Structures are given as C-alpha cells and as structure tokens.
Amino acid sequence: MKTFHIHFNGIVQGVGFRPFVYQSALRFGLKGWVNNTNDGVHIVFNASPELAQNFYEFLLANLPPLAVVTEKKLEKYPPGNFDDFQIIESEGKTQPQLLITPDVALCRDCRQELYDPADRRYRYPFITCTNCGPRYSIITSLPYDRPNTTMAEFKMCDVCLDEYNNPLERRHFSQTNSCPDCAVEMQWYENGQIIENFTDLNKVIDYWNQGKIIAVKGIGGYLLTCDATNPQAVETLRQRKNRPAKPFALMYPGLESLKKDVILSPAEEQQLATRHAPILLLPVKQPPHHTLALNLITKGLNKIGAMLPYTPLMDLLLSAFGKPIVATSGNISGSPIIHADESAIKELSHIADALLMNNRYITVPQDDGVEQKSIYGKHIITLRRSRGKAPIYIHPTLQPKQSVLGTGAMLKSVFGFSHRGKIYMSQYLGDTSEYESQESYEKVFRHLEKILQPQFDAVVSDLHPGYFTTDFALQISRKYSVPHFQIQHHLAHFLSVLGENDLLETDEPVLGVVWDGTGLGTDGHIWGGEFFAYQPGREIERIAHIGTFKHILGDKMVREPRISALSVLSEYAPGKISLLQNKFNDSEWENYPKIIRQSQLLSTSMGRLFDVVASILNLTDIHSYDAEASIRLENLAWQYFSKKDIDFRLSYLIDELPENFTEFITGQILEDLFTGAEKSLIAARFHLSLARYIFLVAEKYNYKYIAFSGGVFQNAVLTGLILKIFEKTAKKLYFHKELSPNDEGIGFGQIIYGLQKLKAL
Ligand SMILES: [Zn+2]
Ligand SMILES: [Zn+2]
C-alpha cells in the first residue's frame, strides 16, 4: 500500500466535484481525503499502484456533467495513515489559478423536482443543485465556497444543511442551496412601493395578460418582459425603452412551443438546450402558430432571437403563461444589462409597470448570449458571448506562463487576460464610447482582478488613440509598470482566429480573410475588407483588399449607409449618382460631393460595402441600430436561399478576379437593378460573389489554409456559402468557434500578440 496524490484543475469548483470524488472513493474502498483549493482539487489516498491508476482513470471517465479538467496528474505522495475517506476544508491561501465556473441553466433533475408536488422544493423559484444555478454572477472571491458568494448571508435550514453535509446527496456542498424554509425572497416593486416576501407569481401572469411590462431579475441582471402576442404591449416597450427598431429577443415556455413558430434543425435544438442556454436567431414559420406581434418584434426581419427559460423562476412564469414573452436586457441603449436593485428601480421603473426583484445579489452584469447557425453546414456563430460562457475560455493547448491583458476594442468591448496558464475572457461589456459601459467595464475588471490577482507582464490595446480601451490599457500598464503594446485592429482579429484554431505554429501559410466595419489601418486609412498572409516568425502581410473609396464625416458615415453609397458611386459610377438624390436634402446633395472630392481618407471597409448595397436597394439609408444595413441585406439574401438552392453560377464573379472588387460589384449590382432584377436575387448574388471572391483569392495566391474573422462573418448566409463553395476542395477553413468573429474576439488576438512580443524581447 502506497500513498498517492491526484490533482485536477479546470472547471472543478461549484460543479459537485468533491462529492463525486468522495462517492467514487467509497466505491473503490479507498481511504484518504479530497479538498478544494485555489489551484483546483487535490485527492490523497492509499492504494496499490494498480488501483491508484484505475481510480484515476475512473474519475476522468466519469466526471460530473459541468466539470472540465484542463490539468491533471497522478503522483506518489509522502506516506500517510487514514481511517476513512473525508472531504476536508477548502484552503484559500495560495494564489488563485483556477477557472471560475460560469452560470448554468436549470438542470433536468431540478426542473423535475420543481414540478413535483411531493418534492419539498415544489414550485420554489430558486431551486438549484451542484449541476445548475448561478456561479460567476454570485462569486465574490475564490475558492468557490458559500462564504465567498452572495449566498453567504442566507442561512441554510436544518434540512438543507443536512443535504449540504451529506456526501451522498446531489446537493452536497451545493453553495447555492436553499429551499422554501430558508428561501431567497422576492420583492415586488410598483409605484414607488416595495412589497417584501412576495410569492404571488400569478400577479406577473395577470400583468402580462393586461399588456403590462415587468422587469424580472434573472441571473445576469434585469430582463424587461411583456406578452409577445400583444402588439400594444410590445409597442409600449419600444417607446418607453426608446428602441425604435432593433429586434427584441423572445423567451418561449419550452421547445415544443418554440417549434410551432420557428424552423429548427437538430443542431439548433441541441444548442438551445446547452447549459449556457443562449438566444438563437431562428427563421420564423409563415405564419407562426402564436399570433406574435412580429412586425414590432423583428421590424421586418425573418428571424427571431429565441431562448428557453434558464432560471426556475422564468420556467415557472412561462409555463403558467403558456405563450412566448419578449425578454430584452433591461439597460440603457448600448450599455450592459442593469444588475443592481437600486439602479433597476432608478432606471427601469419608468419603463416597466412593475419590478419582480429578489434578495440574491448579482456581483457582475451579464447579458444573454446570442448565436446563430450558418445556412449551410452546422457551424454555430457566436454573436455575443456572455452569460453561461464568461469569464473563461478553455483553449485546447494554449497554457501561457506569462500574464497579458488585452483590453479589446470599442463597440463590442470584452477584455481578456492570460493568468497562470489559463485564459479569462470577460462577458460582453457593451459600447465603451458610452459612460455607463465604461463604468461597467472597469467594475468587471476590478472584480476579476481582485478574485484572481493577476500579475500582468504586458498590456495590449488597439492602435486607435481615441478608444476608452486604449486609455485603460495605458492606465493598467502604469499601475503594473509593464509594457503597453498596441496592435492594429484587423491584425488582432487575424491573430484571434489563428490562436483559437491553434495555427500560430503551423507549417502551412494561412490566408486571413478579415472583414468588418471600421478599423484604423497601419497606413492611417480605414481598413475592413482585408486579405492577410500569416507564417510563423514573419510579419503578417496585407496581400489584398477591396477597392478603396473615400471615407468622410467620421462616424456619421458608419451610421448612414447612404453616405457610403454616395462615396462609392461618386468614385466608380458617377453617371448613376442621381439614383441616390432623393436620399439627401438639397444642402447635403450640394455639399457631400465636395467633401468627398476633398477627402484624403480612404476606406476598404467591407461593412461599408454592405451599406452601399443596402442603400442602393433602399433597405437602409440611416441606421437605427448598429450594422442594421448588413443585417437587412443578409436577411434579404436569406429569403432567397430559403426557397432556392445555392447555385454559384448566379455569382457576379465567375472565373476572373477583378482588379477592383468594389468597382466590379457596384457596376454589376447597378446593372441588375436597372434591368429590374428582384432585390432578393441581387442580395443573393452579392453574397454568392463574396464567397466566390474569397475562393478566387485563395486560388490565385495558392493558399490551403484560410481563416476568417471580423464582424462580417457573423453573417449566417455568407458563412454558409463559404462552407459550401470550398466543400469539395482540399482547402481547410478556420472560423471562430468559441469566440465571436466580431470585435468581442479582439481582446484574445491582443493577448496572443502580447505573448509573442514578450517572447521576442
Ligand atoms: Zn439542478
Ligand atoms: Zn432550506
């Protein structure tokens, strides 16, 4: 008999790991102990070498559902004598170096108990277990134990405490454990009055039925909710929230009810049921089963963002209501979701008729994540990475020793850092040109800084001098007295997708297709329709881009697709410019062309090219939300492909790569328009041509590996067409998988850059 030590690290806290080890040890008849520290789970036990190996393999093969092991070892240990097997107290002395468990949607066992009249937690809105419930959103420090969460102030009743202490229970060491006798309590806020100890969920149902708006506190913050089948209610919500056009997300009572309204593939069905329970963009059946206030919800798009209840409270409410509700983040436009009760009363009580609050404090705001599937293939695209995913990112191989902070971009801000071999990526933190988002960004940063105590070796930001995140990087680099590196926006995008796909050390050169809205290029012009080449040890080369056009009026051009249209037509189709005249008033029509002529600033932005096409087709001239023109153009192309097969013979581009893609595509589209082609066909042909364009560039430069990044690759139609066009070739395609192709992924690219710079020093 010898003594052995097993160490596991990764997502091992708040997932029922110790009870699992305990029960397994009993099964193997082992004596020793297990504990939970700041560097993971340690198990020490006596066994023969053979039994120790078997035990180790058994544990790895039967991990609890939420656990992820990223580091593991079995080794000999100084001999010890044990009377039995015990779970011993957690220690928090060492520096934290484990993954923080993200929040988890209601599990199947808990849902069953929730509706079982014989269960003592029957209809208890805060039922949880070691396999589900809040984690990151309630943690105040590590290790993850009740005193280090916002559940600390809730005292467990005797029955709950027994469950908690019994290693054979599902709720052994369940830090979120509570029941109706030691409950998380709800409050009802209406007209300046708070009703404590509120339990009457029927009131919410009544209010929804009356067309009222209720702000409901969830996991990451407050959701604004109303009956999705009541046009008056949805319209009121739009007006009060001052959100005229951006689509609202819906929450359905369950899969069966959702299936009646949308077209759902098996891959999507699976995705909805994952533990992070995202919002999925799904095509609506025509007509849907529920009499949705569709026009008011999607404002002309064919897809709805839908999710299933991920908290027991929402599950109870929705199952009683029996119909879908609008469930949109309670926030001020562009800022993260409101999570503190005081702010909710202050900011949301003029939008909502009442607030359903509770006394479990949320430490950091998290919006619901958003995803969609490509129209071809099974590729799931992350549009917003947040609740259920943050604040971790598990990379299959990367375990950097050095700690680098990447502060991200501006509009879709996410920061991330490497720390003791792990990568942490924050939740989506909104548009940091807004003050509220800056505050929230700093708050979440300080929170993770306090919990994990990183010792940064370098800080990396965007090249753009005007970004909040650039200033922030400067501030942190001073605080830690470490270098501040800056990397160009699109190069960071490229490094991000290379890093995510483990291509940094590849022997095969990689073609990078980086398409997005706006980023400052290294030549001082605006980039965004770029082709790069990567080879390890060499500088990334910009090998091609779409044809340039003038960028004028700063961000105004980004908000107004009609200006991009004017700029591109002035350059490439001056004879057709009158087509746009009715989009401008007299003084604009007189002045803008002059400004365009005089401007020295050039753009190669693919996002703007989408704007041009959307404006020419009269889809959008002025954005009412970010990227509206691109979304409408994608939607129009989707309408076409939902009825017709993909046929690349319809591409404008067939064999020959044009010298200037911008000029070529604009000319073709104008020609189609003047011959009276259907708009949806034009949108489809535009998308087919983009895929074909990439194909021809890859052929010309003879690349086998192609990686895609940038906000344009959120486009489910384009992504699907790319998958299709390369399907029967020997090319290998690399998309973002876990991270988003949009600017949320920039921070990770910055980390990669910082690590490379430190290595080169
Ligand atoms: Zn559960
Ligand atoms: Zn209890």
Side-chain angles (χ1 to χ4, degrees):
M1 203 72 109
K2 289 195 162 65
T3 304
F4 290 91
H5 169 225
I6 292 174
H7 175 218
F8 290 132
N9 203 351
I11 302 182
V12 294
Q13 293 195 351
V15 296
F17 212 100
R18 287 170 296 174
F20 155 68
V21 171
Y22 178 87
Q23 286 161 27
S24 308
L26 292 192
R27 223 172 124 160
F28 277 73
L30 301 176
K31 290 174 180 175
W33 53 261
V34 55
N35 80 352
N36 193 9
T37 71
N38 269 340
D39 71 345
V41 167
H42 295 269
I43 310 159
V44 170
F45 58 99
N46 287 339
S48 69
E50 198 192 352
L51 187 63
Q53 184 64 31
N54 285 347
F55 180 56
Y56 180 62
E57 282 167 17
F58 174 85
L59 292 178
L60 284 169
N62 295 283
L63 293 174
L66 299 180
V68 178
V69 168
T70 57
E71 291 161 54
K72 54 179 192 276
K73 71 174 172 213
L74 167 67
E75 62 185 5
K76 285 200 186 115
Y77 201 72
N81 268 321
F82 312 107
D83 298 331
D84 52 9
F85 197 88
Q86 284 189 0
I87 298 180
I88 60 175
E89 278 294 297
S90 300
E91 291 167 24
K93 285 175 211 130
T94 52
Q95 269 210 323
Q97 50 171 323
L98 46 77
L99 294 171
I100 297 169
T101 308
D103 301 307
V104 187
L106 179 66
C107 77
R108 216 173 20 182
D109 290 340
C110 284
R111 184 176 275 117
Q112 231 158 49
E113 291 169 356
L114 186 62
Y115 293 105
D116 176 3
D119 193 273
R120 66 189 200 89
R121 290 188 180 83
Y122 176 57
R123 300 190 62 80
Y124 173 56
F126 299 93
I127 186 171
T128 62
C129 71
T130 42
N131 298 325
C132 72
R135 298 288 187 275
Y136 174 47
S137 64
I138 58 166
I139 198 163
T140 53
S141 72
L142 286 175
Y144 175 76
D145 268 335
R146 191 145 169 143
N148 296 335
T149 71
T150 61
M151 287 298 290
E153 53 196 273
F154 296 88
K155 200 173 169 300
M156 273 183 271
C157 71
D158 290 347
V159 186
C160 281
L161 201 59
D162 279 348
E163 284 174 339
Y164 184 89
N165 286 325
N166 181 353
L168 301 172
E169 270 281 347
R170 184 167 107 249
R171 294 190 171 88
H172 182 45
F173 284 162
S174 171
Q175 313 301 351
T176 51
N177 205 23
S178 67
C179 78
D181 293 331
C182 57
V184 173
E185 285 169 7
M186 292 187 289
Q187 297 80 37
W188 181 262
Y189 177 93
E190 190 176 0
N191 294 326
Q193 305 284 323
I194 293 185
I195 302 172
E196 293 290 339
N197 213 345
F198 180 82
T199 53
D200 180 16
L201 293 183
N202 284 328
K203 186 147 185 169
V204 179
I205 311 301
D206 285 346
Y207 272 35
W208 280 341
N209 278 323
Q210 291 167 32
K212 290 186 177 175
I213 297 161
I214 315 287
V216 183
K217 186 176 179 180
I219 295 290
Y222 279 82
L223 289 176
L224 288 164
T225 65
C226 71
D227 180 357
T229 67
N230 181 337
Q232 191 60 49
V234 182
E235 180 58 32
T236 307
L237 179 55
R238 284 217 175 270
Q239 280 169 10
R240 292 194 197 158
K241 208 188 169 196
N242 193 16
R243 176 155 146 163
K246 195 174 178 187
F248 281 141
L250 303 185
M251 189 181 274
Y252 275 76
L255 203 54
E256 289 315 309
S257 147
L258 174 61
K259 272 181 172 172
K260 291 177 181 166
D261 283 0
V262 300
I263 303 160
L264 203 58
S265 69
E268 286 162 322
E269 209 173 303
Q270 211 177 357
Q271 201 64 11
L272 281 167
T274 49
R275 62 181 85 152
H276 67 282
I279 295 171
L280 267 196
L281 304 189
L282 298 163
V284 187
K285 284 182 183 165
Q286 293 301 345
H289 167 84
H290 297 98
T291 51
L292 298 173
L294 211 49
N295 270 333
L296 289 162
I297 292 165
T298 68
K299 289 281 174 178
L301 300 179
N302 292 82
K303 285 183 171 183
I304 51 168
M307 61 184 147
L308 299 177
Y310 51 85
T311 65
L313 174 61
M314 276 303 189
D315 210 283
L316 287 169
L317 290 172
L318 268 295
S319 72
F321 191 53
K323 290 186 285 184
I325 57 164
V326 167
T328 182
S329 297
N331 65 353
I332 302 151
S333 170
S335 316
I337 190 165
I338 290 172
H339 69 293
D341 301 331
E342 316 79 67
S343 328
I345 290 177
K346 208 169 121 212
E347 308 285 351
L348 300 179
S349 56
H350 64 280
I351 302 176
D353 296 295
L355 277 67
L356 181 60
M357 311 165 69
N358 66 66
N359 61 353
R360 187 173 64 198
Y361 185 74
I362 299 172
T363 54
V364 286
Q366 289 181 93
D367 290 272
D368 294 314
V370 186
E371 301 172 355
Q372 73 173 331
K373 193 183 83 61
S374 58
I375 59 159
Y376 185 76
K378 288 182 190 164
H379 183 61
I380 300 281
I381 307 164
T382 301
L383 309 182
R384 186 162 73 198
R385 193 175 184 275
S386 196
R387 175 189 49 76
K389 292 276 191 178
I392 54 163
Y393 165 48
I394 299 170
H395 191 278
T397 56
L398 198 64
Q399 294 188 349
K401 288 198 176 61
Q402 282 164 309
S403 181
V404 174
L405 169 68
T407 58
M410 183 181 76
L411 264 184
K412 293 174 189 295
S413 70
V414 164
F415 66 82
F417 54 85
S418 56
H419 166 64
R420 295 177 166 250
K422 300 185 174 53
I423 311 277
Y424 298 82
M425 297 302 299
S426 81
Q427 63 270 43
Y428 158 82
L429 292 166
D431 172 3
T432 50
S433 65
E434 304 277 344
Y435 178 69
E436 288 80 11
S437 299
Q438 296 179 4
E439 271 191 317
S440 178
Y441 182 103
E442 291 201 33
K443 181 182 169 169
V444 174
F445 178 81
R446 307 253 175 262
H447 182 67
L448 285 176
E449 191 187 31
K450 191 189 114 210
I451 291 179
L452 293 161
Q453 302 157 35
Q455 289 299 319
F456 297 123
D457 299 299
V459 182
V460 186
S461 74
D462 203 278
L463 203 59
H464 202 294
Y467 284 1
F468 162 80
T469 48
T470 309
D471 278 347
F472 188 75
L474 202 62
Q475 188 191 321
I476 300 299
S477 83
R478 285 199 188 117
K479 178 177 167 185
Y480 286 84
S481 303
V482 294
H484 170 205
F485 304 124
Q486 288 177 278
I487 175 169
Q488 195 276 332
H489 190 90
H490 300 98
L491 298 178
H493 265 306
F494 191 21
L495 285 181
S496 179
V497 67
L498 288 168
E500 182 162 16
N501 287 286
D502 236 346
L503 290 170
L504 294 163
E505 305 299 329
T506 170
D507 294 330
E508 187 72 35
V510 187
L511 174 67
V513 189
V514 182
W515 289 357
D516 72 353
T518 315
L520 183 62
T522 52
D523 59 0
H525 294 291
I526 308 284
W527 291 7
E530 314 304 312
F531 291 94
F532 295 114
Y534 177 84
Q535 254 182 304
R538 285 206 211 163
E539 281 215 1
I540 291 174
E541 204 187 328
R542 185 189 188 205
I543 56 168
H545 54 75
I546 64 168
T548 59
F549 48 93
K550 300 282 183 67
H551 187 98
I552 63 163
L553 301 171
D555 284 346
K556 191 174 164 70
M557 179 150 154
V558 179
R559 288 192 304 270
E560 301 188 11
R562 60 183 187 144
I563 300 176
S564 292
L566 186 64
S567 169
V568 166
L569 263 60
S570 305
E571 186 97 35
Y572 297 116
K576 304 276 170 58
I577 207 164
S578 58
L579 178 74
L580 305 172
Q581 189 165 357
N582 63 355
K583 300 180 191 290
F584 298 89
N585 68 32
D586 290 349
S587 95
E588 288 168 340
W589 190 246
E590 199 188 317
N591 287 315
Y592 286 0
K594 285 184 204 155
I595 302 173
I596 289 170
R597 272 194 300 278
Q598 286 157 3
S599 169
Q600 303 294 319
L601 185 61
L602 298 175
S603 173
T604 52
S605 162
M606 181 56 80
R608 296 295 80 73
L609 191 57
F610 269 80
D611 286 355
V612 173
V613 180
S615 176
I616 294 177
L617 297 183
N618 287 325
L619 298 178
T620 314
D621 287 321
I622 296 177
H623 283 157
S624 51
Y625 54 91
D626 181 43
E628 182 183 356
S630 302
I631 292 168
R632 293 205 179 279
L633 194 54
E634 174 188 349
N635 185 69
L636 198 59
W638 180 86
Q639 280 178 23
Y640 180 87
F641 290 114
S642 67
K643 296 185 197 87
K644 302 250 170 57
D645 288 341
I646 296 171
D647 181 357
F648 282 101
R649 286 172 304 184
L650 284 174
S651 165
Y652 294 120
L653 209 57
I654 301 296
D655 285 325
E656 209 171 320
L657 197 56
E659 188 116 320
N660 184 321
F661 182 78
T662 308
E663 179 177 28
F664 171 81
I665 202 78
T666 313
Q668 294 286 316
I669 286 174
L670 287 172
E671 218 178 287
D672 246 7
L673 197 67
F674 283 111
T675 56
E678 283 237 11
K679 282 185 188 176
S680 67
L681 174 65
I682 296 178
R685 298 188 75 181
F686 175 64
H687 279 78
L688 287 164
S689 306
L690 291 175
R692 190 83 201 146
Y693 179 36
I694 295 168
F695 186 87
L696 292 176
V697 170
E699 290 280 287
K700 178 182 170 186
Y701 294 94
N702 203 15
Y703 281 94
K704 213 172 118 195
Y705 287 8
I706 313 166
F708 302 85
S709 189
V712 170
F713 297 104
Q714 296 174 100
N715 186 316
V717 174
L718 180 59
T719 305
L721 295 179
I722 292 167
L723 287 169
K724 173 87 176 163
I725 200 168
F726 285 104
E727 191 177 40
K728 291 193 175 112
T729 68
K731 312 271 187 214
K732 284 196 157 177
L733 308 184
Y734 298 94
F735 292 93
H736 285 282
K737 293 180 281 199
E738 192 46 38
L739 302 175
S740 173
N742 70 33
D743 284 2
E744 287 183 27
I746 289 275
F748 181 63
Q750 292 171 341
I751 295 171
I752 299 287
Y753 181 70
L755 292 169
Q756 286 181 340
K757 287 289 273 190
L758 288 173
K759 213 164 132 188
L761 282 181

